[in-house]
Amino acid sequence: MRSRNLLAFLTFQSFRLRRSLQPHRTNSEVNGHHGHSAGTGLRISECLGLQWQDVSFADAVIQVRRTWTCGKVGWPKSKTSKGPVPLHPLLAKFMFRWKRKTPYSQPWDWVFPSFKLKGQQPRVANMLVEDYLRPAAVKVGILSSHRDDEGRLIDDDPRRFGFHNLRHSLASFLVRIRTDPKTVQTLLRHSDVTLTLQCYTHSVSEDRMAAAGAMLTAIFSHAADRSGLKAD
């Protein structure tokens, strides 16, 4: 059973993850989800619920009007969740290319449709994670793994990993570059600023743990050198 510990990763790891997802059409779709979750803070249910009528290239904005969860259309979690999301030029460029590439580009079409179901409904989030996102995370070293007797990479990381990790990593990144809480709250569309402040607390705790670890590693390495012993 996967651990519920929420993993956040660094910018360069997100870049490697994106590069690992490049090659073919389905991965282009996963890259789209990656861009939306990592760059806008959209929840995966909100990404899957997008139709082309929700994306305004002229106004550089994405409107969150519906969600897609467990094979059904739903509605955003709160009034705040319905807030407009900025469409950065870098993401807009990717979205525009995807709109030209997909056969389902009418206003009422899903932005990330199921090709197997001929565009009648969006893709299934769990399948995207298990078939593409998680293997890519293992490949680039975000998740731990080992090689079997035939040299194949085997996922042995007990932690859960999915699109929500991208949203969490965006929050951590914004905290680390000292973005003010109100901006972070607006971008992530938290209804309660307490949720946003928890991101700050969590990020600070991670930074302190990393700092302590670096110091202890240096101390024990130095002690091992002095004693002639090797640190484990």
Side-chain angles (χ1 to χ4, degrees):
M1 184 173 179
R2 304 286 189 192
S3 164
R4 290 183 177 273
N5 290 340
L6 194 55
L7 170 68
F9 46 91
L10 303 176
T11 307
F12 79 90
Q13 292 175 311
S14 185
F15 172 73
R16 289 178 182 174
L17 181 63
R18 186 173 180 83
R19 286 290 298 272
S20 182
L21 288 167
Q22 291 288 345
H24 54 78
R25 187 186 71 193
T26 300
N27 281 355
S28 294
E29 295 175 66
V30 182
N31 254 323
H33 296 309
H34 174 279
H36 279 83
S37 298
T40 67
L42 281 173
R43 302 170 180 89
I44 185 58
S45 60
E46 295 167 343
C47 290
L48 293 173
L50 288 177
Q51 296 177 348
W52 285 112
Q53 62 185 320
D54 306 322
V55 182
S56 174
F57 294 103
D59 297 329
V61 70
I62 297 171
Q63 299 291 346
V64 180
R65 297 188 172 108
R66 72 195 71 74
T67 63
W68 181 266
T69 309
C70 299
K72 295 181 180 180
V73 172
W75 311 111
K77 293 175 64 175
S78 65
K79 182 178 179 180
T80 309
S81 295
K82 296 178 183 178
V85 175
L87 179 61
H88 190 278
L90 291 174
L91 183 57
K93 183 178 180 180
F94 173 86
M95 293 296 295
F96 188 74
R97 287 203 307 263
W98 175 241
K99 188 175 183 181
R100 294 181 64 181
K101 185 177 181 180
T102 178
Y104 307 107
S105 58
Q106 296 301 313
W108 53 84
D109 283 330
W110 302 105
V111 173
F112 301 109
S114 167
F115 283 78
K116 184 181 293 186
L117 297 177
K118 299 181 180 179
Q120 294 301 304
Q121 65 183 50
R123 298 294 300 266
V124 178
N126 289 345
M127 291 178 61
L128 290 172
V129 171
E130 294 302 319
D131 292 347
Y132 301 99
L133 188 65
R134 190 173 178 95
V138 169
K139 182 179 179 181
V140 301
I142 294 174
L143 298 176
S144 64
S145 63
H146 68 274
R147 292 193 180 276
D148 62 14
D149 294 338
E150 297 180 5
R152 292 174 298 191
L153 205 59
I154 305 299
D155 177 1
D156 59 16
D157 201 304
R159 293 169 295 183
R160 289 188 177 186
F161 184 83
F163 288 102
H164 191 69
N165 294 90
L166 304 177
R167 177 177 162 88
H168 181 62
S169 295
L170 170 63
S172 296
F173 173 75
L174 294 173
V175 170
R176 286 190 169 93
I177 63 172
R178 300 186 179 184
T179 308
D180 69 276
K182 188 63 179 177
T183 300
V184 178
Q185 180 188 10
T186 302
L187 183 58
L188 296 178
R189 291 165 297 119
H190 286 154
S191 57
D192 187 347
V193 74
T194 303
L195 295 173
T196 310
L197 294 176
Q198 286 175 357
C199 295
Y200 281 75
T201 302
H202 184 73
S203 181
V204 168
S205 297
E206 288 179 339
D207 288 345
R208 287 175 178 171
M209 181 67 77
M215 184 63 180
L216 289 169
T217 299
I219 291 171
F220 286 123
S221 295
H222 179 70
D225 290 341
R226 291 289 297 274
S227 66
L229 300 174
K230 291 184 178 180
D232 291 335

